[in-house]
Amino acid sequence: MASSSATDSTSVPETTNLQRKSNDVGWEFGMLINPNNLDKMKCKLCGKEFSGGIYRLKQHVARIQGNVAACPNSKKEDQEKCKLAILEAQNKKKRVRMADLETRKMVNVDGKREEDDEVIEVEGMGAIKSARMLGPMDRFTSGISPETPKGPILTPQQQHIKNLIAKERLHAVHQYVARWVYSHGIPFNAIANDEFKRMLEAAGQFGPGVTPPSQYQLREPLLKEEVDRVKGLMKEQEDEWKVNGCSVMTDAWSDRKRRSIMNLCINCKEGTMFLSSKDCSDDSHTGEYIFAYVNECIEKLGGDHVVQVVTDNATNNMAAAKLLKEARPTIFWTSCATHTINLMVEGISKLAMFEETIKMAKAFTIFIYAHHQTLSMMRSFTKRRDIVRPGITRFASAFLTLKSLVEKEENLKMMFASNQWKQCKWAKHVKGLAARNTATSMEFWDGVETCLKVFAPLVSVLRLVDGDQKPTMGFLHGELEEAKKEICKALGNHEKNYRPILGIIDEKGKDRLDSPLHWMAYFLNPYYFYKDSTIQFDRDVITATFKCVDAFFPNDVNTQTFVINTELPKYTKKEGNFGYPTAIKGCSKNDENYDPVQWWNFYGVEIPKLQTMAKKILSLTTSSSGCERNWSTFEGVHTKKRNKLDTKRLNNLVYVQFNMRLLAKRKKQKEKNVINRSSSIPRSFRFINVDILVADSAAHAQDWIVEDADVELEDIPTNEDLVRELDESDDDGEDINVDFESDDEHGL
């Protein structure tokens, strides 16, 4: 074993540019001299060696005086690149400090705030308010320990202090927090949120002697107060759906005790919010039952505010749709676009031209992940980056993994050509030989490339409809048509190759993605209509126009006639405001700020009836994935240790947790958008949006890891942050949290 290990270590491909696992721009100009000394650097441009790490190297290249000599060989563009990197790092730290300060400012347990409170700087925490309960000498002499007797409380104001004692006191606080986290198995990410910071701030403002709430207080009065508070925070969404309408989404789920829970979510232009859940374990999920539950929700929200109901394509949901159409003909029932697109790609993947490649890829990854020796070898050659990428569906896992394989093609080929593989006990095994043949087969890699070229356009549509970033009704049909064109182009425009694929797309989309709302949204989105005015003559568009106008203005023939014969022609002929150059140029989807609802809000004032209808339709979602996504919240709340929660309390906990996550996510996204739109920040330093195909668990990736995998979802280890972090970036070196077969279990 020792000799094998030594051989393995010498066979790993060496790189002349030693560097840490980082995307820092500084590594373009520097390298580590010794991997065991991460502080010692060498400039690639001039060869100068010095201490101080990558930050000092960027100062060297940028010729910033003070800490290090200027690089004589750096070009102006190199200097600017490093200066921008340093500036962005400083701005990022400043943004974090300001965000923390704003978070703490929101806490005020006394009901009033003294403006002249002293502020001190503590390393690791930034600017904080000094403790008004402590005197100057206490800062130097008193330690933080709940076990020590409490001395007299002093009230004089603090002096400005930034010293070792303050850092030691902060470290003591951190130790007590860490003790609580470790002893009770609290996930590390539980403290990475504003609520935890506010909790500490509130305890600090209260001072010594603060007591925690009782379990009863957490279960009853405090939970009710928090539910009421969150309802107040969601008022903005309620105001939005009263103006531009909303979508009702419903889905069912079974918990660990096999209780069946059905939930309802509301989606409007401002995003998705959880509304309520219902324990339906004792009832059959018939169409009548689902209709009654949804109809009750519509009654509560107000029928005039609900435009559509979105569910998956299950038979009982379709039965409920028929009942809704009879009872409420003005409300549409549409199928989930995310579910439908997954059906499309699932059908395409079963075609002969793709099925064999996917089978080979699965056999390859299963072999790699089945043995500790091959898994370790693979991670060594790929710099600790995994091949298998867990996705939100089986197709998402397939696409992400195939893409990951292509990115690591050269690394995998090097692995099977290395001395480590030759000395591996699996090298001469039949499955090992098959894996090697796969990795060195040009036909296989060409097949993977073809799969990605065909799947990629549909993946773009899937990311659009499942992203919950903006209303997608106005873009679904147009983007699906663009995807078809890209697929044809990827297959060389050979009809015999693309016809079966387009046939599957049309078949799966029929009666699912071709409702009057889909067609009317396509027509009313100027991004498509202004490029192709013949859309208005399409038979499906004309039929959809009559149905939508009838639904939005029921039993009012005069208004319907006015909308179709007077207002609609002004839009189709680009008369009045619609003909302005700004209106034509302002509906380009390439503009990050383009919003069809805002476009209609501004340019449609001359035709108010059609304007109202267009804004409501273009504010709609096309997927119920936002509703399905909160089942992970249910699972997080309803763990094995807490499965005695009654449904009402479970509903309240999910209401608070899911909606607070949504609000935090929306706030973070707005901050990112502001930064990304700033012209002063280089594109390489802007935020990268998280891929919505990334899964919270490895549930749908099991058949890429275990042969003949048949795994219950609740039996799969789940670590939301670990898996999401893995899929956001290949550079973090984390492992997928799954179990692997032992090498010895095969009897070799």
Side-chain angles (χ1 to χ4, degrees):
M1 287 297 293
S3 60
S4 175
S5 177
T7 306
D8 289 352
S9 63
T10 57
S11 300
V12 177
E14 294 184 358
T15 174
T16 57
N17 297 329
L18 294 173
Q19 68 177 62
R20 299 175 68 178
K21 294 178 180 178
S22 169
N23 291 324
D24 196 302
V25 70
W27 293 111
E28 293 182 21
F29 310 104
M31 58 183 287
L32 292 174
I33 299 174
N34 183 350
N36 297 322
N37 184 357
L38 303 181
D39 194 52
K40 197 74 173 177
M41 302 292 300
K42 179 178 180 180
C43 177
K44 296 179 185 177
L45 301 179
C46 67
K48 180 178 177 60
E49 299 181 4
F50 50 84
S51 299
I54 196 67
Y55 184 79
R56 187 68 56 83
L57 183 132
K58 285 185 288 189
Q59 290 181 321
H60 167 70
V61 175
R63 299 186 181 180
I64 298 176
Q65 298 179 354
N67 294 321
V68 66
C71 177
N73 299 333
S74 62
K75 300 177 182 177
K76 188 172 182 179
E77 59 184 28
D78 299 334
Q79 297 169 27
E80 289 299 320
K81 189 179 290 188
C82 288
K83 285 179 181 177
L84 285 172
I86 293 172
L87 178 62
E88 174 57 19
Q90 293 172 345
N91 289 339
K92 184 177 180 180
K93 289 180 180 178
K94 184 178 179 181
R95 288 196 299 268
V96 172
R97 286 198 301 268
M98 293 301 296
D100 285 346
L101 187 59
E102 288 298 319
T103 298
R104 291 195 296 273
K105 280 183 177 179
M106 296 177 68
V107 180
N108 190 2
V109 298
D110 297 325
K112 62 180 180 178
R113 184 176 298 279
E114 297 183 17
E115 297 300 329
D116 58 347
D117 283 347
E118 294 290 338
V119 175
I120 63 173
E121 287 276 345
V122 180
E123 186 176 335
M125 195 169 180
I128 62 172
K129 278 193 176 293
S130 62
R132 295 193 302 273
M133 306 297 289
L134 296 175
M137 292 304 297
D138 289 62
R139 176 66 70 177
F140 292 92
T141 60
S142 61
I144 297 177
S145 176
E147 291 81 14
T148 58
K150 297 180 176 59
I153 296 176
L154 303 179
T155 57
Q157 270 193 346
Q158 274 300 298
Q159 302 176 14
H160 291 274
I161 299 175
K162 183 182 179 181
N163 53 42
L164 180 62
I165 303 300
K167 284 189 273 186
E168 288 178 352
R169 292 174 60 82
L170 177 61
H171 181 66
V173 173
H174 289 174
Q175 286 180 318
Y176 283 104
V177 172
R179 230 167 272 171
W180 170 71
V181 169
Y182 303 149
S183 61
H184 294 283
I186 308 298
F188 295 156
N189 67 308
I191 67 170
N193 55 72
D194 291 345
E195 284 73 23
F196 184 78
K197 295 175 184 177
R198 294 189 186 110
M199 180 191 73
L200 289 184
E201 178 69 17
Q205 287 186 20
F206 185 90
V210 62
T211 58
S214 67
Q215 292 189 43
Y216 166 76
Q217 287 175 307
L218 287 174
R219 282 196 301 263
E220 295 295 338
L222 290 175
L223 179 57
K224 290 177 181 177
E225 290 172 14
E226 189 64 13
V227 169
D228 292 338
R229 188 185 75 88
V230 174
K231 284 181 179 178
L233 295 175
M234 305 307 290
K235 188 70 167 57
E236 182 180 347
Q237 282 187 285
E238 187 176 341
D239 293 340
E240 169 62 28
W241 80 53
K242 286 181 179 178
V243 175
N244 290 325
C246 65
S247 303
V248 174
M249 305 184 297
T250 183
D251 194 19
W253 173 76
S254 294
D255 65 13
R256 296 180 183 276
K257 294 180 71 177
R258 300 304 179 189
R259 293 186 303 183
S260 183
I261 298 174
M262 187 175 291
N263 74 351
L264 282 170
C265 290
I266 309 300
N267 179 278
C268 65
K269 190 173 182 293
E270 291 298 317
T272 302
M273 68 169 284
F274 173 78
L275 185 66
S276 67
S277 64
K278 181 179 182 180
D279 187 348
C280 48
S281 306
D282 300 330
D283 304 295
S284 299
H285 296 186
T286 61
E288 292 82 0
Y289 186 85
I290 296 173
F291 162 72
Y293 186 38
V294 172
N295 191 52
E296 181 184 352
C297 170
I298 295 173
E299 195 70 38
K300 187 183 297 183
L301 295 174
D304 294 340
H305 303 319
V306 180
V307 180
Q308 68 168 349
V309 177
V310 189
T311 65
D312 61 29
N313 306 314
T315 305
N316 53 354
N317 285 332
M318 295 302 101
K322 292 180 180 179
L323 294 173
L324 182 74
K325 188 175 182 180
E326 295 173 4
R328 297 181 181 271
T330 62
I331 296 178
F332 297 88
W333 193 300
T334 60
S335 297
C336 175
T338 299
H339 184 237
T340 303
I341 293 171
N342 274 293
L343 292 176
M344 291 177 183
V345 292
E346 183 181 345
I348 294 171
S349 65
K350 293 179 180 178
L351 294 174
M353 61 189 300
F354 306 113
E355 187 175 29
E356 189 60 32
T357 299
I358 294 174
K359 281 183 178 179
M360 290 177 66
K362 282 186 178 181
F364 179 80
T365 58
I366 288 171
F367 170 76
I368 294 294
Y369 279 81
H371 318 291
H372 291 294
Q373 193 174 5
T374 54
L375 180 61
S376 176
M377 195 185 309
M378 179 272 291
R379 286 175 173 164
S380 173
F381 276 84
T382 60
K383 298 180 181 178
R384 302 292 297 170
R385 297 181 299 172
D386 278 274
I387 300 175
V388 175
R389 309 288 298 280
I392 55 174
T393 63
R394 290 184 184 276
F395 161 69
S397 295
F399 178 81
L400 292 171
T401 301
L402 289 176
K403 187 178 179 182
S404 176
L405 275 169
V406 170
E407 292 169 354
K408 301 169 182 64
E409 178 182 352
E410 294 303 319
N411 302 103
L412 294 171
K413 287 179 178 179
M414 290 173 63
M415 184 184 95
F416 284 100
S418 68
N419 290 330
Q420 291 156 280
W421 172 251
K422 293 175 183 177
Q423 296 174 10
C424 176
K425 67 178 181 180
W426 302 102
K428 296 182 180 179
H429 187 267
V430 60
K431 290 187 177 180
L433 292 172
R436 182 182 181 280
N437 291 338
T438 298
T440 56
S441 170
M442 288 302 299
E443 184 179 356
F444 168 73
W445 292 111
D446 289 343
V448 173
E449 290 280 3
T450 302
C451 287
L452 292 176
K453 286 180 181 178
V454 171
F455 292 153
L458 290 174
V459 169
S460 297
V461 182
L462 184 61
R463 286 193 173 107
L464 171 72
V465 299
D466 198 37
D468 202 27
Q469 295 287 329
K470 63 179 181 180
T472 54
M473 185 62 78
F475 296 99
L476 176 59
H477 184 82
E479 294 307 295
L480 206 51
E481 290 299 312
E482 288 297 319
K484 291 180 183 179
K485 294 177 183 177
E486 290 182 28
I487 289 172
C488 294
K489 184 178 179 181
L491 296 174
N493 290 315
H494 296 305
E495 186 176 357
K496 67 176 183 179
N497 291 335
Y498 67 71
R499 175 174 286 187
I501 298 173
L502 299 191
I504 291 173
I505 294 175
D506 293 336
E507 177 190 353
K508 300 298 183 183
K510 185 175 176 58
D511 297 327
R512 294 188 178 101
L513 303 183
D514 55 359
S515 74
L517 285 177
H518 292 104
W519 283 107
M520 197 63 181
Y522 177 53
F523 176 30
L524 292 177
N525 189 345
Y527 171 72
Y528 299 108
F529 179 72
Y530 274 33
K531 289 195 301 184
D532 181 11
S533 59
T534 62
I535 291 174
Q536 62 184 307
F537 305 121
D538 187 286
R539 180 180 297 179
D540 291 316
V541 170
I542 294 173
T543 303
T545 301
F546 287 117
K547 289 184 177 180
C548 287
V549 171
D550 182 53
F552 279 86
F553 308 102
N555 305 318
D556 189 348
V557 178
N558 291 333
T559 301
Q560 294 174 14
T561 303
F562 180 73
V563 170
I564 292 176
N565 295 337
T566 304
E567 291 193 334
L568 193 58
K570 291 185 178 181
Y571 169 65
T572 57
K573 295 177 182 178
K574 301 176 186 171
E575 295 179 352
N577 294 342
F578 297 116
Y580 280 117
T582 54
I584 298 171
K585 190 175 181 179
C587 60
S588 170
K589 201 188 69 169
N590 294 328
D591 181 2
E592 294 181 359
N593 298 316
Y594 171 63
D595 178 357
V597 177
Q598 290 300 325
W599 189 92
W600 271 95
N601 195 49
F602 188 74
Y603 294 104
V605 291
E606 294 178 342
I607 50 174
K609 299 293 184 182
L610 184 61
Q611 180 194 46
T612 299
M613 189 173 107
K615 287 165 61 180
K616 286 189 174 183
I617 293 176
L618 294 171
S619 295
L620 297 174
T621 185
T622 55
S623 296
S624 61
S625 53
C627 184
E628 297 170 3
R629 202 173 284 124
N630 82 355
W631 293 131
S632 62
T633 305
F634 266 96
E635 285 192 303
V637 172
H638 197 66
T639 61
K640 288 181 179 178
K641 294 181 180 179
R642 306 175 70 184
N643 61 7
K644 291 184 180 180
L645 286 170
D646 60 66
T647 307
K648 183 178 179 181
R649 192 169 294 142
L650 176 65
N651 178 80
N652 287 339
L653 286 169
V654 173
Y655 181 88
V656 170
Q657 189 177 129
F658 180 76
N659 288 327
M660 286 304 297
R661 284 185 179 181
L662 183 142
L663 290 170
K665 180 181 177 182
R666 191 180 308 150
K667 178 184 175 184
K668 196 172 184 179
Q669 189 60 46
K670 287 180 179 178
E671 292 172 353
K672 287 182 178 181
N673 290 340
V674 171
I675 294 172
N676 286 347
R677 289 170 185 167
S678 174
S679 58
S680 62
I681 298 177
R683 184 170 296 275
S684 58
F685 296 125
R686 298 179 187 178
F687 287 101
I688 300 175
N689 291 327
V690 177
D691 190 348
I692 58 91
L693 296 184
V694 172
D696 290 343
S697 73
H700 296 296
Q702 292 299 298
D703 55 346
W704 288 84
I705 299 172
V706 182
E707 195 167 4
D708 299 324
D710 184 15
V711 186
E712 290 285 338
L713 291 183
E714 64 185 64
D715 295 332
I716 298 171
T718 301
N719 187 328
E720 179 177 348
D721 288 310
L722 180 62
V723 179
R724 183 170 296 279
E725 189 178 3
L726 171 69
D727 281 87
E728 283 183 40
S729 171
D730 271 343
D731 296 324
D732 52 25
E734 297 291 339
D735 302 340
I736 298 176
N737 189 21
V738 293
D739 294 324
F740 304 105
E741 296 179 43
S742 169
D743 291 345
D744 300 328
E745 290 176 358
H746 296 269
L748 293 177

